Amino acid sequence: MPLQIVHHPDYDAGFATSHRFPMSKYPLLMETLRARGLAGAGALNTAEPAPASWLKLAHAADYVEQVISCSVPEKIEREIGFPVGPRVSLRAQLATGGTVAAARLALRHGIACNTAGGSHHARRAQGAGFCTFNDVAVASLVLLEEGAAHNILVVDLDVHQGDGTADILGDEPRVFTFSMHGERNYPVRKIASDLDVALPDGTGDAAYVERLDSILPELSAGARWDIVFYNAGIDVHAEDRLGRLSLSDKGLRARDRMVVGHFRALGIPVCGVIGGGYSIDVPALAARHAVLFEVASGYA
Ligand SMILES: [Zn+2]
């Protein structure tokens, strides 16, 4: 069976190409996956919008209603980084529904990936940092509520700290949040995860991979995890506009292999989400995001 991929054309909310958020990476990622033979028949699943009842497990009810009705206060929209109009609202509901769907597919098949997700700066009260809803937090709480999972591990390797996920899941003992990120990257005020590893600017492949290699056994020994959510943000790359950790293409692939390989060898289901990636060169971004899918397909 091919790697199960969850996607929706409306993950692309159609921003101008000059926007700081490179929205066109979503359709380009799909083109790349098709070109690499990863998006054939039997691989693709269409995301459905997350219902409000799921979103409210992780977010304040008034904020969920504001996003759904496109009436988010301007102050919050500025913190998010774009206005929440109908396309952004739909995109946020779809991306979250997509991560829930990918998590369910991962539980069934061992591994699955969403072609969006990893909106880890969205906190309980509101969105921030290009993140409207926190898809991984919502999916974790949906699985717990349904009894589909009892112990959940979040491995967040996006270059930015997973402050929103920590905020939402801080009081939830059944979810362990791990974030390894650039110490000097956004957000300035970090919210403590269950385990945070802050790395210095210019860390590079060797030191990064060595650090990860020492932490993964510690994480997997923490509990009998029913599922791992892996935020494979590519803003750790040297050519990323926002990242500071200076990984190469080779380092990025080694990282993904290490994480996916580690948990799959233990029989733990892995749900991959793409996380952040910011570059003017959008085809290069799409190719970097495709690495997660290439690596994951080796374990499908
Ligand atoms: Zn990021």
Side-chain angles (χ1 to χ4, degrees), residues 120 154-162 178-182 197 199 208 212 215-216 219 229-237 245 247 252 255-256 258-259 275-276:
H120 60 170
V154 178
V155 174
D156 184 343
L157 299 186
D158 185 283
V159 85
H160 303 98
Q161 197 250 353
F178 166 62
S179 173
M180 188 159 90
H181 49 265
V197 173
L199 299 172
Y208 185 97
L212 185 60
I215 291 165
L216 287 173
L219 291 175
F229 286 95
Y230 174 36
N231 182 331
I234 56 159
D235 40 16
V236 291
H237 195 275
L245 293 184
L247 262 63
L252 202 60
R255 176 194 74 167
D256 288 355
M258 192 174 257
V259 174

PDB file of all heavy atoms in Angstrom, residues 120 154-162 178-182 197 199 208 212 215-216 219 229-237 245 247 252 255-256 258-259 275-276:
ATOM      1  N   HIS A 120       1.838  25.343  14.926  1.00  0.00           N
ATOM      2  CA  HIS A 120       2.127  25.163  16.365  1.00  0.00           C
ATOM      3  C   HIS A 120       2.161  26.445  17.201  1.00  0.00           C
ATOM      4  O   HIS A 120       2.359  26.368  18.401  1.00  0.00           O
ATOM      5  CB  HIS A 120       3.439  24.374  16.535  1.00  0.00           C
ATOM      6  CG  HIS A 120       4.635  25.028  15.922  1.00  0.00           C
ATOM      7  ND1 HIS A 120       5.926  24.579  16.153  1.00  0.00           N
ATOM      8  CD2 HIS A 120       4.756  26.100  15.088  1.00  0.00           C
ATOM      9  CE1 HIS A 120       6.768  25.341  15.482  1.00  0.00           C
ATOM     10  NE2 HIS A 120       6.087  26.253  14.831  1.00  0.00           N
ATOM     11  N   VAL A 154       4.352  14.370  20.891  1.00  0.00           N
ATOM     12  CA  VAL A 154       4.527  15.374  19.839  1.00  0.00           C
ATOM     13  C   VAL A 154       6.017  15.652  19.691  1.00  0.00           C
ATOM     14  O   VAL A 154       6.677  16.061  20.656  1.00  0.00           O
ATOM     15  CB  VAL A 154       3.782  16.689  20.184  1.00  0.00           C
ATOM     16  CG1 VAL A 154       4.031  17.745  19.097  1.00  0.00           C
ATOM     17  CG2 VAL A 154       2.289  16.438  20.357  1.00  0.00           C
ATOM     18  N   VAL A 155       6.543  15.385  18.499  1.00  0.00           N
ATOM     19  CA  VAL A 155       7.952  15.674  18.199  1.00  0.00           C
ATOM     20  C   VAL A 155       7.960  16.840  17.215  1.00  0.00           C
ATOM     21  O   VAL A 155       7.629  16.682  16.039  1.00  0.00           O
ATOM     22  CB  VAL A 155       8.668  14.440  17.610  1.00  0.00           C
ATOM     23  CG1 VAL A 155      10.078  14.789  17.167  1.00  0.00           C
ATOM     24  CG2 VAL A 155       8.693  13.305  18.635  1.00  0.00           C
ATOM     25  N   ASP A 156       8.301  18.001  17.715  1.00  0.00           N
ATOM     26  CA  ASP A 156       8.209  19.237  16.919  1.00  0.00           C
ATOM     27  C   ASP A 156       9.616  19.722  16.584  1.00  0.00           C
ATOM     28  O   ASP A 156      10.313  20.266  17.439  1.00  0.00           O
ATOM     29  CB  ASP A 156       7.439  20.284  17.737  1.00  0.00           C
ATOM     30  CG  ASP A 156       7.200  21.574  16.961  1.00  0.00           C
ATOM     31  OD1 ASP A 156       7.876  21.797  15.938  1.00  0.00           O
ATOM     32  OD2 ASP A 156       6.342  22.366  17.400  1.00  0.00           O
ATOM     33  N   LEU A 157      10.016  19.498  15.308  1.00  0.00           N
ATOM     34  CA  LEU A 157      11.368  19.885  14.901  1.00  0.00           C
ATOM     35  C   LEU A 157      11.371  21.086  13.965  1.00  0.00           C
ATOM     36  O   LEU A 157      12.388  21.394  13.344  1.00  0.00           O
ATOM     37  CB  LEU A 157      12.093  18.689  14.268  1.00  0.00           C
ATOM     38  CG  LEU A 157      12.276  17.484  15.195  1.00  0.00           C
ATOM     39  CD1 LEU A 157      13.141  16.417  14.509  1.00  0.00           C
ATOM     40  CD2 LEU A 157      12.907  17.875  16.526  1.00  0.00           C
ATOM     41  N   ASP A 158      10.242  21.771  13.866  1.00  0.00           N
ATOM     42  CA  ASP A 158      10.222  23.066  13.180  1.00  0.00           C
ATOM     43  C   ASP A 158      11.235  23.969  13.895  1.00  0.00           C
ATOM     44  O   ASP A 158      11.494  23.794  15.088  1.00  0.00           O
ATOM     45  CB  ASP A 158       8.800  23.640  13.306  1.00  0.00           C
ATOM     46  CG  ASP A 158       8.594  24.925  12.526  1.00  0.00           C
ATOM     47  OD1 ASP A 158       9.046  25.993  12.998  1.00  0.00           O
ATOM     48  OD2 ASP A 158       7.973  24.863  11.454  1.00  0.00           O
ATOM     49  N   VAL A 159      11.819  24.912  13.170  1.00  0.00           N
ATOM     50  CA  VAL A 159      12.892  25.731  13.776  1.00  0.00           C
ATOM     51  C   VAL A 159      12.356  26.652  14.871  1.00  0.00           C
ATOM     52  O   VAL A 159      13.114  27.135  15.711  1.00  0.00           O
ATOM     53  CB  VAL A 159      13.638  26.544  12.693  1.00  0.00           C
ATOM     54  CG1 VAL A 159      12.931  27.855  12.376  1.00  0.00           C
ATOM     55  CG2 VAL A 159      15.083  26.813  13.127  1.00  0.00           C
ATOM     56  N   HIS A 160      11.035  26.879  14.846  1.00  0.00           N
ATOM     57  CA  HIS A 160      10.435  27.744  15.858  1.00  0.00           C
ATOM     58  C   HIS A 160       9.868  26.905  17.013  1.00  0.00           C
ATOM     59  O   HIS A 160       9.389  25.797  16.785  1.00  0.00           O
ATOM     60  CB  HIS A 160       9.326  28.590  15.224  1.00  0.00           C
ATOM     61  CG  HIS A 160       9.809  29.420  14.076  1.00  0.00           C
ATOM     62  ND1 HIS A 160       9.649  29.031  12.761  1.00  0.00           N
ATOM     63  CD2 HIS A 160      10.497  30.586  14.058  1.00  0.00           C
ATOM     64  CE1 HIS A 160      10.200  29.948  11.971  1.00  0.00           C
ATOM     65  NE2 HIS A 160      10.734  30.900  12.728  1.00  0.00           N
ATOM     66  N   GLN A 161       9.936  27.456  18.208  1.00  0.00           N
ATOM     67  CA  GLN A 161       9.464  26.684  19.373  1.00  0.00           C
ATOM     68  C   GLN A 161       7.947  26.479  19.320  1.00  0.00           C
ATOM     69  O   GLN A 161       7.209  27.388  18.912  1.00  0.00           O
ATOM     70  CB  GLN A 161       9.868  27.406  20.668  1.00  0.00           C
ATOM     71  CG  GLN A 161       9.801  26.513  21.906  1.00  0.00           C
ATOM     72  CD  GLN A 161       8.664  26.880  22.846  1.00  0.00           C
ATOM     73  OE1 GLN A 161       7.984  27.879  22.664  1.00  0.00           O
ATOM     74  NE2 GLN A 161       8.441  26.040  23.847  1.00  0.00           N
ATOM     75  N   GLY A 162       7.492  25.315  19.766  1.00  0.00           N
ATOM     76  CA  GLY A 162       6.066  24.974  19.696  1.00  0.00           C
ATOM     77  C   GLY A 162       5.273  25.557  20.852  1.00  0.00           C
ATOM     78  O   GLY A 162       4.658  24.840  21.635  1.00  0.00           O
ATOM     79  N   PHE A 178       7.435  17.721  22.872  1.00  0.00           N
ATOM     80  CA  PHE A 178       8.882  17.925  22.722  1.00  0.00           C
ATOM     81  C   PHE A 178       9.118  18.902  21.576  1.00  0.00           C
ATOM     82  O   PHE A 178       8.572  18.735  20.484  1.00  0.00           O
ATOM     83  CB  PHE A 178       9.581  16.586  22.426  1.00  0.00           C
ATOM     84  CG  PHE A 178      10.989  16.745  21.927  1.00  0.00           C
ATOM     85  CD1 PHE A 178      11.960  17.351  22.720  1.00  0.00           C
ATOM     86  CD2 PHE A 178      11.353  16.296  20.658  1.00  0.00           C
ATOM     87  CE1 PHE A 178      13.263  17.506  22.254  1.00  0.00           C
ATOM     88  CE2 PHE A 178      12.655  16.444  20.186  1.00  0.00           C
ATOM     89  CZ  PHE A 178      13.604  17.050  20.991  1.00  0.00           C
ATOM     90  N   SER A 179       9.917  19.912  21.845  1.00  0.00           N
ATOM     91  CA  SER A 179      10.259  20.884  20.803  1.00  0.00           C
ATOM     92  C   SER A 179      11.764  21.090  20.779  1.00  0.00           C
ATOM     93  O   SER A 179      12.381  21.364  21.813  1.00  0.00           O
ATOM     94  CB  SER A 179       9.559  22.224  21.098  1.00  0.00           C
ATOM     95  OG  SER A 179       9.996  23.229  20.193  1.00  0.00           O
ATOM     96  N   MET A 180      12.369  20.919  19.600  1.00  0.00           N
ATOM     97  CA  MET A 180      13.790  21.257  19.421  1.00  0.00           C
ATOM     98  C   MET A 180      13.837  22.349  18.358  1.00  0.00           C
ATOM     99  O   MET A 180      13.312  22.178  17.258  1.00  0.00           O
ATOM    100  CB  MET A 180      14.608  20.045  18.995  1.00  0.00           C
ATOM    101  CG  MET A 180      16.106  20.328  18.988  1.00  0.00           C
ATOM    102  SD  MET A 180      17.109  18.820  19.090  1.00  0.00           S
ATOM    103  CE  MET A 180      17.310  18.438  17.352  1.00  0.00           C
ATOM    104  N   HIS A 181      14.430  23.481  18.702  1.00  0.00           N
ATOM    105  CA  HIS A 181      14.262  24.692  17.889  1.00  0.00           C
ATOM    106  C   HIS A 181      15.458  25.622  18.033  1.00  0.00           C
ATOM    107  O   HIS A 181      16.336  25.402  18.865  1.00  0.00           O
ATOM    108  CB  HIS A 181      12.992  25.406  18.363  1.00  0.00           C
ATOM    109  CG  HIS A 181      12.960  25.555  19.858  1.00  0.00           C
ATOM    110  ND1 HIS A 181      12.319  24.647  20.668  1.00  0.00           N
ATOM    111  CD2 HIS A 181      13.541  26.449  20.687  1.00  0.00           C
ATOM    112  CE1 HIS A 181      12.490  24.994  21.936  1.00  0.00           C
ATOM    113  NE2 HIS A 181      13.239  26.083  21.971  1.00  0.00           N
ATOM    114  N   GLY A 182      15.435  26.678  17.224  1.00  0.00           N
ATOM    115  CA  GLY A 182      16.474  27.699  17.314  1.00  0.00           C
ATOM    116  C   GLY A 182      16.205  28.603  18.514  1.00  0.00           C
ATOM    117  O   GLY A 182      15.117  29.169  18.638  1.00  0.00           O
ATOM    118  N   VAL A 197      14.477  21.730  23.708  1.00  0.00           N
ATOM    119  CA  VAL A 197      15.911  21.807  23.434  1.00  0.00           C
ATOM    120  C   VAL A 197      16.119  23.006  22.524  1.00  0.00           C
ATOM    121  O   VAL A 197      15.615  23.043  21.396  1.00  0.00           O
ATOM    122  CB  VAL A 197      16.440  20.519  22.764  1.00  0.00           C
ATOM    123  CG1 VAL A 197      17.891  20.693  22.336  1.00  0.00           C
ATOM    124  CG2 VAL A 197      16.306  19.333  23.711  1.00  0.00           C
ATOM    125  N   LEU A 199      18.604  25.315  20.396  1.00  0.00           N
ATOM    126  CA  LEU A 199      19.917  25.189  19.747  1.00  0.00           C
ATOM    127  C   LEU A 199      20.435  26.565  19.311  1.00  0.00           C
ATOM    128  O   LEU A 199      19.652  27.444  18.942  1.00  0.00           O
ATOM    129  CB  LEU A 199      19.801  24.279  18.522  1.00  0.00           C
ATOM    130  CG  LEU A 199      19.357  22.843  18.805  1.00  0.00           C
ATOM    131  CD1 LEU A 199      19.101  22.098  17.501  1.00  0.00           C
ATOM    132  CD2 LEU A 199      20.405  22.103  19.632  1.00  0.00           C
ATOM    133  N   TYR A 208      23.345  18.861  15.040  1.00  0.00           N
ATOM    134  CA  TYR A 208      21.886  18.712  15.114  1.00  0.00           C
ATOM    135  C   TYR A 208      21.499  17.235  15.207  1.00  0.00           C
ATOM    136  O   TYR A 208      20.744  16.814  16.083  1.00  0.00           O
ATOM    137  CB  TYR A 208      21.240  19.364  13.883  1.00  0.00           C
ATOM    138  CG  TYR A 208      19.731  19.373  13.902  1.00  0.00           C
ATOM    139  CD1 TYR A 208      19.032  20.492  14.338  1.00  0.00           C
ATOM    140  CD2 TYR A 208      18.997  18.265  13.477  1.00  0.00           C
ATOM    141  CE1 TYR A 208      17.642  20.506  14.364  1.00  0.00           C
ATOM    142  CE2 TYR A 208      17.618  18.266  13.499  1.00  0.00           C
ATOM    143  CZ  TYR A 208      16.942  19.387  13.936  1.00  0.00           C
ATOM    144  OH  TYR A 208      15.560  19.388  13.962  1.00  0.00           O
ATOM    145  N   LEU A 212      19.763  15.036  18.271  1.00  0.00           N
ATOM    146  CA  LEU A 212      18.497  14.329  18.062  1.00  0.00           C
ATOM    147  C   LEU A 212      18.654  12.844  18.377  1.00  0.00           C
ATOM    148  O   LEU A 212      17.797  12.231  19.026  1.00  0.00           O
ATOM    149  CB  LEU A 212      18.055  14.541  16.609  1.00  0.00           C
ATOM    150  CG  LEU A 212      16.692  13.984  16.216  1.00  0.00           C
ATOM    151  CD1 LEU A 212      15.578  14.597  17.048  1.00  0.00           C
ATOM    152  CD2 LEU A 212      16.431  14.252  14.729  1.00  0.00           C
ATOM    153  N   ILE A 215      18.411  12.092  21.963  1.00  0.00           N
ATOM    154  CA  ILE A 215      17.124  12.372  22.623  1.00  0.00           C
ATOM    155  C   ILE A 215      16.040  11.350  22.272  1.00  0.00           C
ATOM    156  O   ILE A 215      15.195  11.018  23.100  1.00  0.00           O
ATOM    157  CB  ILE A 215      16.648  13.799  22.254  1.00  0.00           C
ATOM    158  CG1 ILE A 215      17.562  14.826  22.916  1.00  0.00           C
ATOM    159  CG2 ILE A 215      15.208  14.037  22.685  1.00  0.00           C
ATOM    160  CD1 ILE A 215      17.415  16.215  22.358  1.00  0.00           C
ATOM    161  N   LEU A 216      16.067  10.840  21.028  1.00  0.00           N
ATOM    162  CA  LEU A 216      14.969   9.968  20.577  1.00  0.00           C
ATOM    163  C   LEU A 216      14.736   8.749  21.485  1.00  0.00           C
ATOM    164  O   LEU A 216      13.577   8.459  21.831  1.00  0.00           O
ATOM    165  CB  LEU A 216      15.192   9.537  19.119  1.00  0.00           C
ATOM    166  CG  LEU A 216      14.960  10.638  18.081  1.00  0.00           C
ATOM    167  CD1 LEU A 216      15.365  10.165  16.685  1.00  0.00           C
ATOM    168  CD2 LEU A 216      13.507  11.121  18.071  1.00  0.00           C
ATOM    169  N   LEU A 219      12.858   9.807  24.499  1.00  0.00           N
ATOM    170  CA  LEU A 219      11.449  10.098  24.207  1.00  0.00           C
ATOM    171  C   LEU A 219      10.648   8.816  24.080  1.00  0.00           C
ATOM    172  O   LEU A 219       9.556   8.697  24.651  1.00  0.00           O
ATOM    173  CB  LEU A 219      11.325  10.896  22.907  1.00  0.00           C
ATOM    174  CG  LEU A 219      11.827  12.336  22.913  1.00  0.00           C
ATOM    175  CD1 LEU A 219      11.729  12.923  21.506  1.00  0.00           C
ATOM    176  CD2 LEU A 219      11.035  13.192  23.903  1.00  0.00           C
ATOM    177  N   PHE A 229       3.058  12.511  16.683  1.00  0.00           N
ATOM    178  CA  PHE A 229       2.877  13.571  15.693  1.00  0.00           C
ATOM    179  C   PHE A 229       4.246  14.182  15.425  1.00  0.00           C
ATOM    180  O   PHE A 229       4.905  14.648  16.351  1.00  0.00           O
ATOM    181  CB  PHE A 229       1.922  14.657  16.222  1.00  0.00           C
ATOM    182  CG  PHE A 229       0.493  14.231  16.230  1.00  0.00           C
ATOM    183  CD1 PHE A 229      -0.082  13.693  17.380  1.00  0.00           C
ATOM    184  CD2 PHE A 229      -0.286  14.342  15.090  1.00  0.00           C
ATOM    185  CE1 PHE A 229      -1.410  13.293  17.390  1.00  0.00           C
ATOM    186  CE2 PHE A 229      -1.616  13.944  15.086  1.00  0.00           C
ATOM    187  CZ  PHE A 229      -2.173  13.419  16.240  1.00  0.00           C
ATOM    188  N   TYR A 230       4.648  14.156  14.161  1.00  0.00           N
ATOM    189  CA  TYR A 230       5.965  14.682  13.796  1.00  0.00           C
ATOM    190  C   TYR A 230       5.802  15.950  12.969  1.00  0.00           C
ATOM    191  O   TYR A 230       5.342  15.901  11.826  1.00  0.00           O
ATOM    192  CB  TYR A 230       6.746  13.609  13.025  1.00  0.00           C
ATOM    193  CG  TYR A 230       8.070  14.096  12.475  1.00  0.00           C
ATOM    194  CD1 TYR A 230       8.851  15.018  13.182  1.00  0.00           C
ATOM    195  CD2 TYR A 230       8.548  13.638  11.247  1.00  0.00           C
ATOM    196  CE1 TYR A 230      10.060  15.469  12.678  1.00  0.00           C
ATOM    197  CE2 TYR A 230       9.762  14.082  10.737  1.00  0.00           C
ATOM    198  CZ  TYR A 230      10.510  15.001  11.460  1.00  0.00           C
ATOM    199  OH  TYR A 230      11.698  15.459  10.955  1.00  0.00           O
ATOM    200  N   ASN A 231       6.185  17.092  13.546  1.00  0.00           N
ATOM    201  CA  ASN A 231       6.209  18.366  12.810  1.00  0.00           C
ATOM    202  C   ASN A 231       7.576  18.484  12.145  1.00  0.00           C
ATOM    203  O   ASN A 231       8.582  18.736  12.809  1.00  0.00           O
ATOM    204  CB  ASN A 231       5.954  19.536  13.761  1.00  0.00           C
ATOM    205  CG  ASN A 231       5.926  20.879  13.031  1.00  0.00           C
ATOM    206  OD1 ASN A 231       6.576  21.059  11.991  1.00  0.00           O
ATOM    207  ND2 ASN A 231       5.205  21.836  13.576  1.00  0.00           N
ATOM    208  N   ALA A 232       7.590  18.277  10.816  1.00  0.00           N
ATOM    209  CA  ALA A 232       8.845  18.232  10.061  1.00  0.00           C
ATOM    210  C   ALA A 232       9.142  19.563   9.376  1.00  0.00           C
ATOM    211  O   ALA A 232       9.525  19.611   8.214  1.00  0.00           O
ATOM    212  CB  ALA A 232       8.773  17.092   9.040  1.00  0.00           C
ATOM    213  N   GLY A 233       8.945  20.654  10.092  1.00  0.00           N
ATOM    214  CA  GLY A 233       9.223  21.984   9.533  1.00  0.00           C
ATOM    215  C   GLY A 233      10.600  22.030   8.875  1.00  0.00           C
ATOM    216  O   GLY A 233      11.572  21.508   9.421  1.00  0.00           O
ATOM    217  N   ILE A 234      10.644  22.639   7.701  1.00  0.00           N
ATOM    218  CA  ILE A 234      11.910  22.682   6.956  1.00  0.00           C
ATOM    219  C   ILE A 234      12.615  24.031   7.113  1.00  0.00           C
ATOM    220  O   ILE A 234      13.592  24.306   6.423  1.00  0.00           O
ATOM    221  CB  ILE A 234      11.682  22.387   5.460  1.00  0.00           C
ATOM    222  CG1 ILE A 234      10.661  23.371   4.879  1.00  0.00           C
ATOM    223  CG2 ILE A 234      11.249  20.941   5.253  1.00  0.00           C
ATOM    224  CD1 ILE A 234      10.733  23.500   3.386  1.00  0.00           C
ATOM    225  N   ASP A 235      12.118  24.849   8.052  1.00  0.00           N
ATOM    226  CA  ASP A 235      12.767  26.150   8.263  1.00  0.00           C
ATOM    227  C   ASP A 235      14.068  26.034   9.064  1.00  0.00           C
ATOM    228  O   ASP A 235      14.693  27.032   9.407  1.00  0.00           O
ATOM    229  CB  ASP A 235      11.786  27.170   8.883  1.00  0.00           C
ATOM    230  CG  ASP A 235      10.883  26.581   9.936  1.00  0.00           C
ATOM    231  OD1 ASP A 235      11.186  25.478  10.427  1.00  0.00           O
ATOM    232  OD2 ASP A 235       9.877  27.231  10.287  1.00  0.00           O
ATOM    233  N   VAL A 236      14.488  24.794   9.334  1.00  0.00           N
ATOM    234  CA  VAL A 236      15.827  24.543   9.890  1.00  0.00           C
ATOM    235  C   VAL A 236      16.903  24.638   8.804  1.00  0.00           C
ATOM    236  O   VAL A 236      18.094  24.599   9.092  1.00  0.00           O
ATOM    237  CB  VAL A 236      15.917  23.135  10.534  1.00  0.00           C
ATOM    238  CG1 VAL A 236      15.087  23.057  11.805  1.00  0.00           C
ATOM    239  CG2 VAL A 236      15.445  22.068   9.542  1.00  0.00           C
ATOM    240  N   HIS A 237      16.447  24.731   7.526  1.00  0.00           N
ATOM    241  CA  HIS A 237      17.391  24.695   6.403  1.00  0.00           C
ATOM    242  C   HIS A 237      18.217  25.983   6.297  1.00  0.00           C
ATOM    243  O   HIS A 237      17.714  27.076   6.585  1.00  0.00           O
ATOM    244  CB  HIS A 237      16.600  24.472   5.108  1.00  0.00           C
ATOM    245  CG  HIS A 237      17.446  24.072   3.941  1.00  0.00           C
ATOM    246  ND1 HIS A 237      18.080  24.983   3.138  1.00  0.00           N
ATOM    247  CD2 HIS A 237      17.761  22.843   3.447  1.00  0.00           C
ATOM    248  CE1 HIS A 237      18.746  24.332   2.189  1.00  0.00           C
ATOM    249  NE2 HIS A 237      18.565  23.035   2.357  1.00  0.00           N
ATOM    250  N   LEU A 245      19.277  27.525  11.858  1.00  0.00           N
ATOM    251  CA  LEU A 245      20.033  26.345  12.295  1.00  0.00           C
ATOM    252  C   LEU A 245      20.957  25.762  11.226  1.00  0.00           C
ATOM    253  O   LEU A 245      21.742  24.873  11.505  1.00  0.00           O
ATOM    254  CB  LEU A 245      19.070  25.270  12.831  1.00  0.00           C
ATOM    255  CG  LEU A 245      18.360  25.672  14.129  1.00  0.00           C
ATOM    256  CD1 LEU A 245      17.496  24.533  14.645  1.00  0.00           C
ATOM    257  CD2 LEU A 245      19.341  26.121  15.202  1.00  0.00           C
ATOM    258  N   LEU A 247      20.821  23.764   8.486  1.00  0.00           N
ATOM    259  CA  LEU A 247      20.907  22.390   7.994  1.00  0.00           C
ATOM    260  C   LEU A 247      20.995  22.381   6.468  1.00  0.00           C
ATOM    261  O   LEU A 247      20.458  23.264   5.801  1.00  0.00           O
ATOM    262  CB  LEU A 247      19.673  21.591   8.441  1.00  0.00           C
ATOM    263  CG  LEU A 247      19.882  20.724   9.694  1.00  0.00           C
ATOM    264  CD1 LEU A 247      20.206  21.580  10.890  1.00  0.00           C
ATOM    265  CD2 LEU A 247      18.657  19.865   9.974  1.00  0.00           C
ATOM    266  N   LEU A 252      18.645  17.565   6.429  1.00  0.00           N
ATOM    267  CA  LEU A 252      17.186  17.521   6.519  1.00  0.00           C
ATOM    268  C   LEU A 252      16.687  16.082   6.328  1.00  0.00           C
ATOM    269  O   LEU A 252      15.851  15.578   7.077  1.00  0.00           O
ATOM    270  CB  LEU A 252      16.617  18.427   5.425  1.00  0.00           C
ATOM    271  CG  LEU A 252      15.216  18.962   5.573  1.00  0.00           C
ATOM    272  CD1 LEU A 252      15.086  19.810   6.830  1.00  0.00           C
ATOM    273  CD2 LEU A 252      14.864  19.807   4.344  1.00  0.00           C
ATOM    274  N   ARG A 255      17.592  13.872   9.252  1.00  0.00           N
ATOM    275  CA  ARG A 255      16.695  14.143  10.380  1.00  0.00           C
ATOM    276  C   ARG A 255      15.391  13.368  10.231  1.00  0.00           C
ATOM    277  O   ARG A 255      14.956  12.681  11.157  1.00  0.00           O
ATOM    278  CB  ARG A 255      16.397  15.646  10.428  1.00  0.00           C
ATOM    279  CG  ARG A 255      15.403  16.029  11.493  1.00  0.00           C
ATOM    280  CD  ARG A 255      14.868  17.431  11.309  1.00  0.00           C
ATOM    281  NE  ARG A 255      13.907  17.510  10.204  1.00  0.00           N
ATOM    282  CZ  ARG A 255      13.098  18.549   9.986  1.00  0.00           C
ATOM    283  NH1 ARG A 255      13.189  19.624  10.769  1.00  0.00           N
ATOM    284  NH2 ARG A 255      12.243  18.544   8.983  1.00  0.00           N
ATOM    285  N   ASP A 256      14.771  13.483   9.038  1.00  0.00           N
ATOM    286  CA  ASP A 256      13.477  12.823   8.824  1.00  0.00           C
ATOM    287  C   ASP A 256      13.608  11.297   8.914  1.00  0.00           C
ATOM    288  O   ASP A 256      12.758  10.619   9.483  1.00  0.00           O
ATOM    289  CB  ASP A 256      12.888  13.232   7.470  1.00  0.00           C
ATOM    290  CG  ASP A 256      12.383  14.672   7.477  1.00  0.00           C
ATOM    291  OD1 ASP A 256      12.403  15.312   8.548  1.00  0.00           O
ATOM    292  OD2 ASP A 256      11.975  15.170   6.409  1.00  0.00           O
ATOM    293  N   MET A 258      15.799   9.679  10.603  1.00  0.00           N
ATOM    294  CA  MET A 258      16.088   9.324  11.988  1.00  0.00           C
ATOM    295  C   MET A 258      14.792   9.252  12.808  1.00  0.00           C
ATOM    296  O   MET A 258      14.565   8.289  13.538  1.00  0.00           O
ATOM    297  CB  MET A 258      17.029  10.389  12.548  1.00  0.00           C
ATOM    298  CG  MET A 258      17.656  10.036  13.851  1.00  0.00           C
ATOM    299  SD  MET A 258      18.850  11.317  14.281  1.00  0.00           S
ATOM    300  CE  MET A 258      20.330  10.479  13.856  1.00  0.00           C
ATOM    301  N   VAL A 259      13.950  10.271  12.648  1.00  0.00           N
ATOM    302  CA  VAL A 259      12.710  10.332  13.439  1.00  0.00           C
ATOM    303  C   VAL A 259      11.748   9.227  12.999  1.00  0.00           C
ATOM    304  O   VAL A 259      11.280   8.426  13.820  1.00  0.00           O
ATOM    305  CB  VAL A 259      12.029  11.716  13.294  1.00  0.00           C
ATOM    306  CG1 VAL A 259      10.676  11.722  13.991  1.00  0.00           C
ATOM    307  CG2 VAL A 259      12.930  12.810  13.855  1.00  0.00           C
ATOM    308  N   GLY A 275       4.719  21.524   8.685  1.00  0.00           N
ATOM    309  CA  GLY A 275       5.326  22.624   9.436  1.00  0.00           C
ATOM    310  C   GLY A 275       5.794  23.765   8.545  1.00  0.00           C
ATOM    311  O   GLY A 275       5.361  23.893   7.394  1.00  0.00           O
ATOM    312  N   GLY A 276       6.694  24.583   9.086  1.00  0.00           N
ATOM    313  CA  GLY A 276       7.088  25.811   8.411  1.00  0.00           C
ATOM    314  C   GLY A 276       8.180  25.634   7.379  1.00  0.00           C
ATOM    315  O   GLY A 276       8.942  24.667   7.391  1.00  0.00           O
TER     316      GLY A 276
END
